[in-house]
Amino acid sequence: MISAVFVSYRSEALAARAIATFREEARRAGREAEAVAVVNSGDAVERDALVPHADRVLLPSRNLGFAGGLNAGIAAARGRTLLLANPDLLFCE
């Protein structure tokens, strides 16, 4: 399985699109995929917006910064292969 960790800070629409393109490319490659979103804004509304898109959505009690958000996502990821991403990344063939 490949796990992608997306750190979002008030960028739920971008993160949802990034997750969708990640899933599509994983499907095309025949790979099992897991998306982990870390919501660094502390905003429950942003978290709720990502719940339908990601397998796991983390809402830390404080902004961990980008590296801290990635580390939290890595700790929650189950995949053997990890991909670390900004929320504005788009995957394509």
Side-chain angles (χ1 to χ4, degrees):
M1 176 189 323
I2 184 168
S3 293
V5 177
F6 299 88
V7 177
S8 181
Y9 184 89
R10 306 218 184 278
S11 53
E12 63 271 14
L14 290 172
R17 186 169 179 214
I19 292 167
T21 62
F22 163 69
R23 288 192 189 286
E24 178 59 22
E25 288 307 308
R27 185 195 62 76
R28 286 183 189 167
R31 300 286 305 268
E32 184 181 1
E34 172 191 50
V36 178
V38 181
V39 178
N40 258 345
S41 67
D43 184 351
V45 173
E46 182 176 0
R47 178 203 56 212
D48 294 347
L50 289 172
V51 166
H53 305 282
D55 298 291
R56 295 174 184 210
V57 180
L58 308 178
L59 184 67
S61 60
R62 63 181 175 82
N63 185 337
L64 303 174
F66 186 69
L70 290 175
N71 286 332
I74 289 167
R78 298 175 300 139
R80 197 166 165 206
T81 302
L82 293 173
L83 187 140
L84 309 176
N86 284 319
D88 60 348
L89 180 66
L90 296 179
F91 296 81
C92 60
E93 313 183 33

